[in-house]
């Protein structure tokens, strides 16, 4: 019997059961038997009620005629009702695909990207794995968020390689962890991407293959926005970053308490000085030396500072523009010489601000390049100060800069910076949802846009030039 027939049978049995309980009083044989063809009446109450009972009688008669059954006794009705309900309960559920959303119906314009993770090499040991397999630190449904994105559909400022790394950071299984010395709540974790075979691995090997990330503090979530700003402006100097909630049992509880943290892709070939006290630099560079490098035909650093001598002046212009919009002071002005810091600022607590009296003692930090690209700076630790007041903007970050990249300046002048950032930030669903979507992010984007207008005014007032992508 079909589902429709069973439904009709159950409905008829229900009405018949109502008769047997006295809800409807049958009028017929003296034996008390009841036939659907007989007239069914109820205790008279109103003309409207009589009309409803006539309709009910017709419905009962039609239902019984469909089944082709003989009129049952009241006891048999209850048995028949129970059997019908049991049959309905045992019917197989309707077919539902384990993937309720197809690739074409996923939110956003991001399609699957098959680009390798690092330096054009395919990951080793790949075996086919069903896409329904869930990793232990990934909530159900989270893996589909990063399976879209090709250069034809994704925003042009996010490359296939960017999306590949972002997907690894957002959904890769945590397989190892390592503390970073002198960096507090920062963990380097090894990640296993979807489809990677389980096998012998080590943290160092994972990181050398480009499968590691740095988990930072919840307060550093601004770094994710900084990454998207870097790509929207066409600078392409920061490392991919996403927001994520972690659940892996390998991590300390403070990392798995439900808070959203930024995770930054670990570049395996960053060049560090051998000096343990200055390992966050690729070259040792003082403020005065830096200012000399910015002169159009100024002297270059000594031969011992080869990494810095290979960095063209245009790289410092990109860095200055980026740091001014985010108000990142740690690189070019860790001493807070360009504004009056609050007593709670680290530069005051660590008594660095006092050194501003002697410029010869000032040094730059986080000046890094990659061995594979020694002429390109890498921007790290980009959290900046989103709440830094406008009246204290640090213009020292722009000191010595006489030109800026044309593409970035054109984007700032277009008046579309906020909308472009919103379009880019939608890719990171964890960040988007945790910050309240467009409405929650808009105050931060307004602040960056306001700083962009101030920078454009600075460029006009000082008659500064712009340069194309490959300045001398």
């Amino acid at each position: 019997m079909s589902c429709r027939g069973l439904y009709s049978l159950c409905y008829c049995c229900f009405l018949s059961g109502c008769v047997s309980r006295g809800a409807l009083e049958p009028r017929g044989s003296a034996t008390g038997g009841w036939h659907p063809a007989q007239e069914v009446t109820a205790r008279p109450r109103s003309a409207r009620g009589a009309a409803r009972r006539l309709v009910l009688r017709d419905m009962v008669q039609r239902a019984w005629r469909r089944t082709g059954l003989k009129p049952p006794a009241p006891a048999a009705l209850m048995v028949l009702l129970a059997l019908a309900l049991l049959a309905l309960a045992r019917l197989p559920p309707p077919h539902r695909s384990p993937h309720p959303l197809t690739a074409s119906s996923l939110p956003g314009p991001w399609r699957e990207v098959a680009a390798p993770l690092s330096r054009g090499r395919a990951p080793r040991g790949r075996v086919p794995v069903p896409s329904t397999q869930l990793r232990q630190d990934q909530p159900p449904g989270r893996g589909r968020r990063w399976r879209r994105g090709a250069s034809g559909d994704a925003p042009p400022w996010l490359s296939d390689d960017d999306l590949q790394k972002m997907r690894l950071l957002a959904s890769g299984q945590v397989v190892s962890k390592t503390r970073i010395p002198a960096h507090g709540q920062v963990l380097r974790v090894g990640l296993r991407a979807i489809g990677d075979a389980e096998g012998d691995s080590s943290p160092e090997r994972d990181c050398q293959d480009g499968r590691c990330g740095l988990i930072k503090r919840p307060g550093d979530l601004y770094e994710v926005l900084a990454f998207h700003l870097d790509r929207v402006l066409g600078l392409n100097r920061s490392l991919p970053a996403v927001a994520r909630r972690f659940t892996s049992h390998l991590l300390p509880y403070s990392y798995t308490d439900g808070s959203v943290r930024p995770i930054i892709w670990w570049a395996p070939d960053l060049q560090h000085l051998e000096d343990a006290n200055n390992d966050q630099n690729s070259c040792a560079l003082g403020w005065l030396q830096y200012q000399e490098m910015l002169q159009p035909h100024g002297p270059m650093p000594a031969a011992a500072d080869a990494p810095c001598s290979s960095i063209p002046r245009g790289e410092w212009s990109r860095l200055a523009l980026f740091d001014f919009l985010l108000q990142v002071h740690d690189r070019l002005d860790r001493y807070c010489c360009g504004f009056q810091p609050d007593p709670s600022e680290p530069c005051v607590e660590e008594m660095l601000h006092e050194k501003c009296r002697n410029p010869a003692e000032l040094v730059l930090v986080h000046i890094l390049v990659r061995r594979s690209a020694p002429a390109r700076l890498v921007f790290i630790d980009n959290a900046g100060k989103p709440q830094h007041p406008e009246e204290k903007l640090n213009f020292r970050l722009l000191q010595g800069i006489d030109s800026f990249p044309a593409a970035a300046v054109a984007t700032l002048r277009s008046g579309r910076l906020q909308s472009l950032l919103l379009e880019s930030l939608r890719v990171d669903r964890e960040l988007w949802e945790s910050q309240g979507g467009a409405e929650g992010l808009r105050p931060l984007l307004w602040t960056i846009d306001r700083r962009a207008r101030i920078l454009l005014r600075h460029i006009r007032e000082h008659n500064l030039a712009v340069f194309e992508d490959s300045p001398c």
Side-chain angles (χ1 to χ4, degrees):
M1 185 182 294
S2 66
C3 291
R4 185 174 181 180
L6 285 173
Y7 176 82
S8 300
L9 179 61
C10 290
Y11 186 72
C12 185
C13 291
F14 170 76
L15 294 176
S16 301
C18 292
V19 172
S20 65
R21 291 192 302 271
L24 296 173
E25 292 184 354
R27 185 175 64 186
S29 64
T31 60
W34 178 77
H35 191 282
Q38 293 175 318
E39 183 178 355
V40 179
T41 62
R43 298 179 180 91
R45 291 185 181 178
S46 65
R48 181 178 298 180
R52 289 177 179 172
R53 287 190 289 275
L54 288 175
V55 174
L56 181 60
R57 179 194 65 185
D58 293 338
M59 293 174 60
V60 173
Q61 289 175 352
R62 285 195 298 270
W64 274 108
R65 287 167 186 163
R66 288 194 194 101
T67 62
L69 299 176
K70 294 181 179 181
L77 284 174
M78 303 308 296
V79 175
L80 188 59
L81 177 61
L83 291 175
L85 292 176
L86 180 62
L88 284 175
R90 295 183 66 84
L91 284 175
H95 174 71
R96 285 181 180 152
S97 169
H99 308 287
L101 293 178
T102 61
S104 61
S105 64
L106 286 173
W110 323 116
R111 292 200 308 263
E112 180 105 25
V113 179
L117 288 179
S118 62
R119 296 192 294 277
R121 296 181 300 171
R124 298 175 296 180
R126 300 294 293 266
V127 296
V129 176
S131 59
T132 54
Q133 177 178 349
L134 294 176
R135 294 157 304 284
Q136 63 186 17
D137 61 330
Q138 178 189 353
R142 193 63 58 82
R144 290 192 297 272
R145 294 181 176 181
W146 298 100
R147 294 191 179 184
R148 307 182 75 192
S151 57
D153 293 329
W157 50 83
L158 290 177
S159 68
D160 289 353
D161 185 65
D162 285 335
L163 294 169
Q164 180 78 12
K165 291 182 172 67
M166 292 163 71
R167 186 168 61 252
L168 173 71
L169 297 171
S171 60
Q173 178 185 356
V174 176
V175 295
S176 64
K177 69 176 187 294
T178 306
R179 288 282 183 184
I180 304 297
H183 282 78
Q185 297 184 41
V186 177
L187 278 181
R188 188 182 72 178
V189 294
L191 300 169
R192 180 179 297 134
I194 298 172
D196 279 0
E198 296 186 16
D200 294 335
S201 64
S202 65
E204 292 303 322
R205 182 186 304 171
D206 290 337
C207 292
Q208 286 301 317
D209 289 342
R211 297 196 298 268
C212 281
L214 281 181
I215 305 177
K216 295 195 171 185
R217 301 169 301 177
D220 293 328
L221 205 58
Y222 200 49
E223 286 211 42
V224 181
L225 188 150
F227 161 69
H228 287 272
L229 175 66
D230 170 85
R231 294 303 193 263
V232 165
L233 295 177
L235 304 176
N236 299 318
R237 297 302 188 270
S238 63
L239 303 174
V242 304
R244 180 169 175 176
R245 299 180 196 271
F246 292 90
T247 59
S248 173
H249 69 278
L250 295 177
L251 301 176
Y253 172 75
S254 59
Y255 287 75
T256 61
D257 60 359
S259 58
V260 179
R261 288 175 175 261
I263 176 169
I264 321 296
W265 183 70
W266 173 271
D269 62 339
L270 280 181
Q271 186 169 315
H272 297 274
L273 291 175
E274 296 181 358
D275 184 358
N277 296 322
N278 197 18
D279 64 346
Q280 290 301 299
N281 284 315
S282 297
C283 60
L285 189 62
W287 172 258
L288 296 180
Q289 188 180 23
Y290 165 66
Q291 289 297 308
E292 291 177 1
M293 291 175 58
L294 296 179
Q295 298 301 317
H297 302 287
M300 297 301 294
D305 290 327
C308 279
S309 64
S310 67
I311 301 173
R313 292 172 56 235
E315 289 297 292
W316 303 110
S317 299
R318 292 182 176 90
L319 177 63
L321 181 148
F322 186 68
D323 281 3
F324 182 82
L325 294 178
L326 297 171
Q327 287 296 292
V328 176
H329 307 144
D330 290 344
R331 269 187 286 263
L332 300 176
D333 187 20
R334 65 177 308 204
Y335 306 90
C336 307
C337 300
F339 66 100
Q340 183 59 44
D342 294 330
S344 59
E345 294 277 359
C347 59
V348 176
E349 294 180 346
E350 299 173 12
M351 303 182 69
L352 297 176
H353 187 61
E354 299 177 0
K355 296 184 178 182
C356 293
R357 303 168 186 169
N358 186 6
E361 295 186 18
L362 309 182
V363 297
L364 277 59
V365 296
H366 296 160
I367 305 302
L368 293 167
V369 298
R370 299 176 66 175
R371 295 185 183 91
S372 57
R376 290 168 61 97
L377 287 172
V378 178
F379 302 166
I380 68 167
D381 289 350
N382 302 322
K385 295 185 179 298
Q387 307 301 330
H388 195 70
E390 185 172 312
E391 61 273 12
K392 289 187 176 183
L393 288 179
N394 191 353
F395 282 89
R396 185 181 176 88
L397 304 175
L398 305 176
Q399 186 170 330
I401 303 296
D402 59 3
S403 62
F404 291 94
V409 172
T411 301
L412 300 182
R413 286 174 175 166
S414 70
R416 300 182 59 232
L417 181 59
Q418 292 190 58
S419 61
L420 294 175
L421 282 171
L422 283 175
E423 182 180 350
S424 191
L425 290 169
R426 280 192 180 94
V427 178
D428 193 328
R429 293 297 182 84
E430 197 67 73
L431 178 74
W432 185 265
E433 295 170 2
S434 67
Q435 300 302 307
E439 291 304 314
L441 289 166
R442 205 171 295 279
L444 290 176
L445 304 187
W446 184 90
T447 298
I448 294 177
D449 189 63
R450 175 62 183 164
R451 293 172 183 173
R453 296 175 186 275
I454 294 174
L455 176 60
L456 291 174
R457 186 177 64 199
H458 173 84
I459 293 174
R460 289 194 306 269
E461 291 176 351
H462 293 80
N463 197 26
L464 303 180
V466 296
F467 59 80
E468 298 304 325
D469 291 339
S470 299
C472 296

